[in-house]
Every structure is written in structure tokens, then in C-alpha cells.
Amino acid sequence: MTQHLKHFIDGVHTDASDGGRMRLVDPVDEKEYATAARGTAEDVRRAVAAARSQLQGGAWSRLDGAQRGLLLNRLADLVQRDLELLADMDAHAIGRSPMEPRMMDVPNAIANLRAAAGWANQLEGRTIPTSGYMGTQTLSYTIREPIGVVGAIVPWNSPLMITTWKVAALLAAGCTVVIKPSEETPQSALHLAALCQEAGFPDGVVNVVTGDGGVVGRALCEHPDVAKISFTGSPEAGRAIQRTAGPQFKRVALELGGKSPQIVFDDAAFDDAVRGCALGIFVNQGQVCAAGSRILVQRSIAERFAAALAEAARQVKVGDPAEPGVQMGPVAKKAQQERVNRYIRQGIEEGARLLAGGVSEPGEGFFVKPTIFAGATNQMTIAREEIFGPVGTIIAFDTDEEAVALANDSEYGLAATVWTTRLVRAHKVAQGLQVGAVGVNCWSPLDANLPWGGLKTSGIGREGGLAGALAFTEEKVITVLLP
Ligand code: NAD
């Protein structure tokens, strides 16, 4: 039976003002399985008003950090209780194997909530020595105040996990939120909001408005009572958000795309590097911001490595994730399937060698093939643009300096991996890379205590860890004259 999802505003499941409904389609058989409210600017206004009233004398504004931490821990317990349900919601919506969110995304969401529960009571100010005021001694100190109502705008590839990167930290800081989930994946955000109510968060602290980015997302960016936009998604939408939020001097955190290098040196543990590179480009069908899509391999092992990675690609079983043994489902939507095929065609046209996979034939479901190109250059389109699909491009290099230069020759700067057994090389190369995070002999280690974010077109700001919670506060200075 088709489910009809509503917004969650001020603790109530409520329909859209007049925006109608969006269809949610199963990527495996292309059939509608649910609809969601297509929100309007009016829905955003109602949600922001509810969020604002909790900050202005509402029950939430009277809770201290320890009490907020207690609620966050209760919420973590409830997410743990509903782990399978939440994982299955996110997996089904984008055609992903549920094992991945069960093992990675939802545990990470729980860890984010627990870490934030700890930060909630530790957002301390400072006492700062000064030269006094006109010859009189002063005491200057700072306090951390919640930034206000936050608009959290989320993509479809890891919906719950990314929602909690934002929501856990901002709740720890004492903010309130209006979540705008992706058009394709509103379910887990709505369930999380209902769990917030069950945990005891006052109504209005966590609201969800579903709908289109250009309407609901834009209305959040334009709303004068939204103090910060915390966005994860594409650079194109990030730019649109900057244009709207900028003139109001709204705070923004932008977690954008990537074209992340995996650098494999000839002294690397070969099989580990093959496995790591396969994971880095094939997990979640390559629909991962940190996907290790540019695979830079030292020339002396490049042919052998390419053959091994191509074999790993051929071994991936593609199909309906509900069937036993299937490791890779379809990509999330038709446009995504067309995008992946377009890039594969372009790679062939530009002269890269196709070792595994290739363009997928039309059929039911948005399936694509795990694909490996070799003999590529860093100037080819498949090495420069984010494909957001299971397409790895192998580029050979000779020296450490060349590897670092190739890695940095990208408009993106999100993450990188270094595969080597030489300690000094690992540290030196890691330090030379212009990215937000480097994994040495491990692809994209995520942890609730680690900051995450990128440079250049990969975005602005950091989420995660203490830095993530502090980013939802403003530091206020108070100076007292002590005559
Ligand atoms: P997207 O930019 O199309 O959409 C992301 C969200 O922004 C959606 O909720 C969408 O409705 C909304 N949106 C779209 N246009 C908007 C506008 N003008 N104003 C306000 N909101 C708007 O991205 P997507 O296709 O959902 O996700 C894929 C992208 O996300 C990839 O580029 C990927 O690399 C990136 N991503 C980055 C990270 C990271 O941590 N850096 C993590 C996951 C995904």
C-alpha cells in the first residue's frame, strides 16, 4: 500500500499548504511506493516559527547542556532500537543493500548523537587577559550561545547519517532546526523527528518540511529568522544557497562534492590496496562524496593493479539488493543512471581504456555496471568531474612529488587515501595533500569525534567532533569593569 508522508511541524504530522505531493519511486522496479508532501514557503514559515518560539522562552531555551545531553542520549537509544527500520528505509529509497546502512550509516548516526550528548555540557567559554579599560582593571570572558534556528538541507545518498551530522551537533549547542530532506529520501528524517518527540524533546525543536530544493530549500535560505544553513549536496546547489544566504550574512556550512584521489605506491600492501580502492569506489554504488574515484597508481605496479581492480569490479554481483548475494543495487534515480552512462561514454571517447563494466543497457531498474578505466590522464573529464557512480579511473604516476601534484590538481579537495607501508612517505604525502581528510591505508575513516569537510569546491566549514558543535554557537565577549 502506498504510504503518504506528511511534514512534521511543531510536533504534528501535517500536510502541505497547497504544494501537492511528490512521488517516491523504487529504483529496483521503478514503481511508486510512497508519496510525500511537496512543501511550500508557507510550510517553511510555519516550521521556522515553531523552531523560533522554542528559542524565545520555550521549554527548550530553559534546558541546560546536561539536560540536552540526556535527551540526545535517549534519542540515540531510540535510533538504536529502530536501527533496522531506519537502515531499511534509507536503503530501500535509493536501492542500496540494507547491510551497508545497518553496518555503517545508522551506527554512525548513533555515535554522532552520543558524541553530541557529551559535547552539550562542554561548550565552554574562555577567560581572556586584557590590558584593562582606560587604566582600570577589567574581567573579560566569553560565553557560547546557540546560533538560532538552523536550516539543515540534506542529500539522498546517506540520509540519516548526514542528517545526524547536523542535527546532533546543533541540538547539543541548543539550536532548533527545520530539516529539508532530499526529494528521494524523506522517510528517515521524518522518523527521526518522531523519535525526538518520543525522547522528550519539546515540540518545535526538530521540524521536517519535505519538498523541492528550489522551493523549500530556497525558502529556508531566504527566511530572515534562519540563522544558519547547514547544507550537504552538490556544488551547484551550494552556489545557489550562497547567493541567497550571502546578502543576509546568514552563516553557512557547505559540505559539497569530491573527486578524491586514492594514491597507491609500489610498496603498498597490494591486496589491501585493491580491496580498499574497490570499497572506495563501489560502496553505495559510488554515490559517496568521498568516493575514491581517481586512483593514482605508481607506474611500476599500474598494470598489475589495474588488472586486479578490474577483476574485483567483475566480481561485484549487481541486482535487486533483496536477493541473497547481491552486493550492488541500482543507482538512486533515472537521472543518476543517465549521468553515469554519459560519463562512461565520455571516458571511452576521450581515450581511456575500459577494463571492466561499461555503459548499461536499458531495462527495468536504474542499474549501472561497476566500471574501471585505466591509462587515463588527469585532464580527462572522468578524472575531473564528480560522476557519483561506481566508476574508477586509474592514472599512472612515477614519483611522490608527481602523485601529490596530480592529487592536488583538482577543483575539489574533500578527502584522499594513501596506500604505502613506508612511514615517512605516508606522513609527507598526507601533509602535502590539499584536502579536509586523509586516510592512510584505510579509505575514508569516519568517526563521530573527527571533523569532516572540504576545501575548494568541496565546501566551507566542518561538521563532526567538538568543532562541529562549536560551529552552531556564537562566542560572545563580556567585559566587566573592576574599579
Ligand atoms: P543536490 O545538491 O541536488 O541536493 C541536496 C539537497 O539540496 C536536496 O535536499 C535538495 O532538495 C536541496 N537543494 C537543491 N537545490 C537547492 C537550492 N537551490 N536551494 C536550497 N536547497 C536546494 O545533491 P544530491 O544530488 O542530493 O547529492 C549529491 C551531491 O551531494 C554530490 O555532489 C555529493 O558529493 C554531495 N555530498 C557531499 C557530502 C559531503 O560531506 N561533502 C556528503 C554527501 C553528498
Side-chain angles (χ1 to χ4, degrees):
M1 207 178 69
T2 305
Q3 222 193 333
H4 297 293
L5 306 168
K6 299 178 174 184
H7 306 311
F8 191 80
I9 299 176
D10 208 7
V12 179
H13 293 279
T14 165
D15 243 322
S17 300
D18 56 7
R21 304 201 69 77
M22 309 183 294
R23 294 176 71 229
L24 304 189
V25 171
D26 186 333
V28 172
D29 59 14
E30 304 186 31
K31 294 200 172 75
E32 177 181 302
Y33 66 92
T35 70
R38 194 183 287 281
T40 62
E42 177 52 30
D43 297 321
V44 170
R45 272 193 288 278
R46 283 194 292 141
V48 172
R52 190 157 185 257
S53 76
Q54 276 300 333
L55 289 171
Q56 296 194 322
W60 179 246
S61 65
R62 294 192 295 276
L63 297 186
D64 61 28
Q67 290 166 316
R68 295 197 302 273
L70 193 65
L71 289 175
L72 280 160
N73 263 325
R74 271 197 216 139
L75 179 60
D77 292 341
L78 296 174
V79 173
Q80 179 79 57
R81 182 195 71 191
D82 290 356
L83 186 149
E84 290 195 3
L85 177 71
L86 285 159
D88 292 358
M89 277 177 184
D90 277 357
H92 180 244
I94 63 164
R96 188 180 185 189
S97 162
M99 291 321 290
E100 289 179 2
R102 283 185 197 184
M103 282 167 17
M104 293 187 279
D105 298 40
V106 186
N108 178 269
I110 295 164
N112 292 333
L113 293 166
R114 295 223 187 277
W119 304 132
N121 209 18
Q122 295 181 48
L123 304 177
E124 297 165 345
R126 304 177 285 160
T127 326
I128 303 174
T130 69
S131 317
Y133 179 77
M134 294 187 183
T136 305
Q137 193 189 342
T138 53
L139 169 67
S140 288
Y141 63 96
T142 70
I143 54 173
R144 292 271 175 185
E145 295 181 331
I147 212 162
V149 178
V150 178
I153 305 180
V154 181
W156 45 263
N157 60 330
S158 289
L160 181 76
M161 182 180 88
I162 294 174
T163 302
T164 60
W165 288 355
K166 304 171 186 313
V167 169
L170 69 89
L171 291 175
C175 298
T176 57
V177 65
V178 179
I179 303 169
K180 204 305 257 174
S182 165
E183 289 82 333
E184 287 77 21
T185 54
Q187 268 175 311
S188 59
L190 287 165
H191 192 73
L192 184 74
L195 292 184
C196 287
Q197 190 174 50
E198 189 179 341
F201 284 86
D203 290 345
V205 172
V206 177
N207 308 275
V208 180
V209 178
T210 61
D212 295 314
V215 178
V216 175
R218 191 185 167 91
L220 273 173
C221 297
E222 284 174 345
H223 199 301
D225 292 336
V226 173
K228 176 168 179 169
I229 296 291
S230 175
F231 170 78
T232 302
S234 63
E236 298 74 44
R239 285 190 187 97
I241 287 167
Q242 283 275 58
R243 280 194 295 272
T244 313
Q248 293 184 36
F249 309 110
K250 220 181 264 306
R251 274 61 177 148
V252 290
L254 304 173
E255 303 281 334
L256 309 176
K259 194 71 199 173
S260 298
Q262 296 231 40
I263 307 175
V264 185
F265 287 98
D266 57 7
D267 61 89
F270 189 88
D271 293 344
D272 291 350
V274 172
R275 260 194 304 276
C277 286
L279 176 74
I281 191 58
F282 297 142
V283 73
N284 199 7
Q285 287 83 284
Q287 302 167 126
V288 179
C289 54
S293 53
R294 276 192 306 148
I295 302 161
L296 312 178
V297 187
Q298 202 150 23
R299 201 173 304 277
S300 53
I301 60 162
E303 281 301 313
R304 189 161 74 94
F305 191 86
L309 192 57
E311 183 52 29
R314 285 188 284 272
Q315 293 301 320
V316 176
K317 190 169 173 207
V318 180
D320 180 347
E323 284 173 16
V326 167
Q327 293 152 307
M328 187 186 281
V331 290
K333 47 187 169 178
K334 184 99 198 140
Q336 195 64 19
Q337 184 190 37
E338 288 167 358
R339 177 189 172 98
V340 172
N341 280 333
R342 195 171 61 245
Y343 277 112
I344 294 174
R345 270 189 215 101
Q346 207 159 354
I348 296 167
E349 278 163 25
E350 290 183 9
R353 248 180 321 128
L354 181 68
L355 295 190
V359 176
S360 52
E361 298 78 33
E364 192 180 77
F366 308 139
F367 293 94
V368 297
K369 294 181 185 166
T371 295
I372 295 295
F373 282 107
T377 72
N378 203 39
Q379 299 314 314
M380 290 180 179
T381 311
I382 52 170
R384 301 210 76 78
E385 296 185 11
E386 184 182 42
I387 300 175
F388 222 52
V391 182
T393 299
I394 298 177
I395 300 166
F397 71 86
D398 290 301
T399 63
D400 294 32
E401 293 71 26
E402 189 189 357
V404 172
L406 280 170
N408 290 341
D409 178 16
S410 171
E411 82 172 282
Y412 292 103
L414 186 59
T417 314
V418 182
W419 296 94
T420 179
T421 50
R422 280 173 50 190
L423 187 67
V424 174
R425 170 179 263 171
H427 285 291
K428 286 186 89 168
V429 170
Q431 286 178 19
L433 294 169
Q434 295 163 357
V435 295
V438 181
V440 176
N441 296 326
C442 54
W443 170 76
S444 197
L446 261 190
D447 189 283
N449 287 340
L450 295 176
W452 176 253
L455 315 178
K456 303 192 267 185
T457 302
S458 293
I460 295 171
R462 293 291 178 272
E463 290 185 328
L466 179 58
L470 290 175
F472 288 106
T473 65
E474 295 282 11
E475 190 175 29
K476 179 189 280 181
V477 180
I478 298 174
T479 296
V480 184
L481 201 65
L482 300 177

